[in-house]
Every structure is written in structure tokens, then in C-alpha cells.
């Protein structure tokens, strides 16, 4: 891979300029003191030669230092690339090993599309249930509400809907997944609200997103306890995929001997192997509690990995989309966006 190495030309120009200046200064000084006779005086020539030798020695030491430094850097790069490309290979293997819920389709891209389809269907369901409520009433604890309010601000309601939807689709609403959601991942929300939401999802069985019709409590109980759900969960298939993808980007980001644009080019190698649907799936993950480490759990701009590396820039942007990625990541230079965000150049000047 071609790297953009650090440019030392400015330093070299300074050294060259100082060398020429000193040589001219020394020659003028000798001329003032002796006229042109120093050109024929062995003693003066010896002193001038010693002066030139000292400058040459200094320049030689400088270039020797730069050579050794660059050799050390090349060794670091080789070790880094070896591990990084292994991480990418492992992640791509995980992506390609994912099987679609539909037995007639077995490509990983189809799996991603089905995952995203369920998330977006879930968003519609959750939106219908809680969109009319005040967002603070969706929370069980005022401290949790205040913490999320400080982080998400005016996007809190949309974020809450995405978070609940993603977690439900990821863990599923079979008995185990449902208990996990209620007792851990959705525990910060109002219990009655979550029970109503989960009830709506648990009534969708036999591979259909339509609510099953029931008559009486016995039939209702049978449907609720039926594990042949439409939302069966994706955690077992995709959990490792998400973890390895995060580790790939985090590994590049923590390399101090690489400059920002070099890191960006390495991340670009990974991003170009991801489909638009895969990027959209990642977007929903990063807005959820499970994927907040990508961006929203840190105030350090150098650790906001999605924005820093334009990592989801290829997502198509829908018109007037209530849950558009550009609302949550306003400083990404999206491919479909007409203009470059004003803050982008300022941020890139600060990235390391």
C-alpha cells in the first residue's frame, strides 16, 4: 500500500539555506580580513575546509538519523499492516458467513438487507406506540432521562425509538430475548411502555409482520409463547461481526506513528468492502446502546470513529427522513450530500 509519509522538505530547505548562508558568511569574513590572499594561504584554506567538514558532518548525522527513523517506521508499518489485514480478513469472513433467514437466499448482503428491513419495520411500530407521548414519560428513572437528554439533546426522541427498535430486532422476542430486554437492555425505560411494545412484537408470528388475530386468553397465551416469531433476533449470527468491525477501526485509530490521512486511507480499504446496506446497519447499531462506543460515548473528537473516518458516507439519504443519518452525523461528508459540512475542514485539522 502506498503511504503518505511525513514531509521533511521544509526542514531540509532550512538546513540547505543555513549551510549556504554560513559558507558565504565565512567566505566574506575571510575576504574582509585578508582580501583574496586567503585563496593561496594553506592555513586559511585548512581552516575553511575544517569548517566545511563540520557542516558536512552535521548534515550526514541528520540524514543518518532520518534514515534510521524511517527504517524503524517501516518496520512498525509492516507489523501493523500484517495484523490489520488479518483483522479485515476475519471480519469479512464473518460477514460472508452470515446466512439469510430466507432459506432460498444465502448471501451475506441479503442477510444485511433483511436485518435492516426488520429494524425499519420495528421503528414504524415503536414510533406509533410512543410518538404521541412526552419522551420523559418513556423513561423509568429521571436520572437516566437526564443523562440521555444531555447526550442526545433534540434528537432524544428519534434516538430512543431507534434504540428500542434495534435492541428488539437484535435480541428478538422469543422468551430468552424478551427476558433479556426487560431485565437488562430496556430496563431504563418505563416498564408499562416496554411491555406494550414487546406485546406488539410478540404477537407477530409465523414469519409475518402482521399481528396475529386471537380470541380469548388461551389463544392469546399460545401466540405469546409461540417461539416461531417474526422477530427472532440476530445476536448469535451478527454479534461477532459487529465486534470485529469495531476492533478493525479502533486498531487503526490508536496507531500513534500514523498520521490522520494515513489512518483514513487504511479505514477506506475496509469501508470500500462494505455495501451501502451494511453501512446503514452499522448506522442503526451506533445509535443504539450496544454501539454507542463508536461515537456517542466519548467527547474526544479523535475517538468519534464514525465521523472521523466518514465511515458511513455511502448511505443513500432519503428526502425528509425523520431518522436520516445526517441528523445524527452532521459532520460526515456524505456521498449523496450536495454540500460539504462547514465543520468538516475544522475537524480534520484537529484530527491526529
Amino acid at each position: 500500500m502506498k503511504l503518505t509519509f511525513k514531509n521533511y522538505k521544509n526542514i531540509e530547505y532550512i538546513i540547505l539555506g543555513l549551510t549556504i548562508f554560513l559558507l558565504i558568511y565565512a567566505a566574506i569574513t575571510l575576504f574582509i580580513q585578508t582580501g583574496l590572499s586567503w585563496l593561496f594561504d594553506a592555513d586559511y584554506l585548512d581552516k575553511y575546509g575544517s569548517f566545511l567538514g563540520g557542516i558536512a558532518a552535521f548534515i550526514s548525522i541528520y540524514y543518518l538519523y532520518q534514515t534510521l527513523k524511517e527504517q524503524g517506521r517501516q518496520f512498525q508499518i509492516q507489523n501493523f499492516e500484517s495484523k490489520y489485514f488479518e483483522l479485515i480478513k476475519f471480519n469479512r469472513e464473518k460477514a460472508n458467513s452470515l446466512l439469510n433467514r430466507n432459506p432460498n437466499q444465502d448471501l451475506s448482503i441479503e442477510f444485511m438487507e433483511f436485518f435492516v428491513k426488520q429494524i425499519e419495520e420495528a421503528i414504524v411500530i415503536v414510533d406509533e406506540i410512543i410518538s404521541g407521548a412526552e419522551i420523559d414519560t418513556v423513561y423509568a428513572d429521571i436520572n437516566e432521562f437526564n443523562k440521555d437528554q444531555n447526550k442526545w439533546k433534540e434528537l432524544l426522541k428519534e434516538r430512543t425509538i431507534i434504540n428500542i427498535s434495534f435492541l428488539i430486532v437484535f435480541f428478538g422476542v422469543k422468551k430468552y430475548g424478551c427476558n433479556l430486554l426487560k431485565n437488562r437492555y430496556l430496563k431504563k425505560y418505563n416498564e408499562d411502555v416496554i411491555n406494550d411494545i414487546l406485546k406488539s412484537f410478540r404477537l407477530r408470528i409465523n414469519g409475518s409482520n402482521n399481528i396475529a388475530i386471537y380470541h380469548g386468553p388461551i389463544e392469546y397465551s399460545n401466540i405469546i409463547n409461540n417461539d416461531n416469531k417474526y422477530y427472532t433476533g440476530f445476536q448469535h449470527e451478527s454479534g461477532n461481526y459487529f465486534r470485529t468491525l469495531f476492533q478493525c477501526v479502533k486498531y487503526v485509530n490508536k496507531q500513534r506513528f500514523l498520521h490522520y490521512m494515513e489512518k483514513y486511507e487504511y479505514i477506506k480499504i475496509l469501508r470500500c468492502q462494505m455495501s451501502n446496506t451494511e453501512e446503514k446497519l452499522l448506522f442503526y447499531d451506533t445509535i443504539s446502546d450496544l454501539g454507542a462506543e463508536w461515537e456517542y460515548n466519548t467527547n474526544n473528537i479523535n475517538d468519534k470513529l464514525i465521523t472521523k473516518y466518514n465511515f458511513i458516507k455511502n448511505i443513500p439519504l432519503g428526502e425528509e427522513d425523520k431518522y436520516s443519518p445526517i441528523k445524527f452525523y452532521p459532520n460526515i461528508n456524505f456521498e449523496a450530500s450536495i454540500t460539504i459540512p462547514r465543520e468538516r475542514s475544522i475537524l480534520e485539522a484537529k484530527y491526529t
Side-chain angles (χ1 to χ4, degrees), residues 80-275:
F80 157 74
E81 287 186 346
S82 176
K83 183 174 180 180
Y84 177 58
F85 291 130
E86 278 297 313
L87 285 171
I88 290 181
K89 180 182 176 183
F90 184 69
N91 176 257
R92 293 297 89 196
E93 287 175 351
K94 296 303 296 182
N96 292 329
S97 69
L98 297 175
L99 298 178
N100 194 280
R101 298 290 181 181
N102 186 334
N104 296 320
Q105 298 171 322
D106 61 358
L107 298 175
S108 62
I109 183 61
E110 299 299 333
F111 173 91
M112 302 291 182
E113 287 177 355
F114 187 64
F115 200 159
V116 169
K117 178 176 179 287
Q118 283 207 343
I119 293 170
E120 293 178 342
E121 289 172 339
I123 286 173
V124 173
I125 296 168
V126 177
D127 193 336
E128 289 176 350
I129 295 173
I130 71 172
S131 62
E134 293 296 327
I135 190 60
D136 59 323
T137 64
V138 178
Y139 282 78
D141 182 78
I142 190 63
N143 293 325
E144 289 288 349
F145 167 73
N146 289 334
K147 185 169 71 173
D148 279 358
Q149 179 71 62
N150 291 333
K151 182 186 293 186
W152 300 95
K153 298 180 173 58
E154 70 277 2
L155 293 171
L156 179 59
K157 195 162 198 173
E158 288 82 358
R159 186 271 168 174
T160 300
I161 291 171
I162 290 177
N163 184 45
I164 293 173
S165 303
F166 181 86
L167 291 173
I168 288 174
V169 173
F170 184 77
F171 290 106
V173 290
K174 291 183 178 181
K175 186 175 181 180
Y176 173 77
C178 201
N179 289 335
L180 201 59
L181 288 166
K182 288 195 291 186
N183 298 325
R184 182 176 177 183
Y185 291 101
L186 297 178
K187 194 173 182 180
K188 68 179 178 181
Y189 298 116
N190 183 296
E191 185 178 356
D192 292 335
V193 173
I194 295 304
N195 284 337
D196 286 344
I197 292 172
L198 290 177
K199 174 186 172 182
S200 178
F201 280 90
R202 297 187 77 190
L203 288 172
R204 300 164 197 269
I205 60 173
N206 298 324
S208 172
N209 195 34
N210 298 318
I211 293 179
I213 298 174
Y214 59 91
H215 304 281
I218 295 177
E219 195 171 350
Y220 167 79
S221 178
N222 290 336
I223 294 172
I224 287 291
N225 293 314
N226 184 348
D227 263 354
N228 185 20
K229 305 293 185 186
Y230 178 63
Y231 295 95
T232 59
F234 291 85
Q235 63 167 319
H236 299 299
E237 296 93 339
S238 64
N240 195 258
Y241 158 77
F242 282 117
R243 287 190 293 270
T244 56
L245 185 63
F246 179 69
Q247 289 305 318
C248 284
V249 179
K250 188 177 179 181
Y251 179 64
V252 175
N253 190 58
K254 71 179 182 179
Q255 303 304 319
R256 294 185 177 181
F257 67 91
L258 293 175
H259 311 298
Y260 167 61
M261 288 310 300
E262 292 175 321
K263 293 177 182 179
Y264 189 93
E265 290 300 316
Y266 278 116
I267 298 300
K268 195 174 176 182
I269 292 175
L270 173 60
R271 192 184 73 226
C272 73
Q273 298 180 56
M274 298 169 63
S275 68

Side-chain angles (χ1 to χ4, degrees), residues 281-294:
L281 176 60
L282 178 61
F283 159 67
Y284 289 126
D285 174 59
T286 63
I287 301 304
S288 76
D289 286 338
L290 293 180
E293 285 297 319
W294 280 96

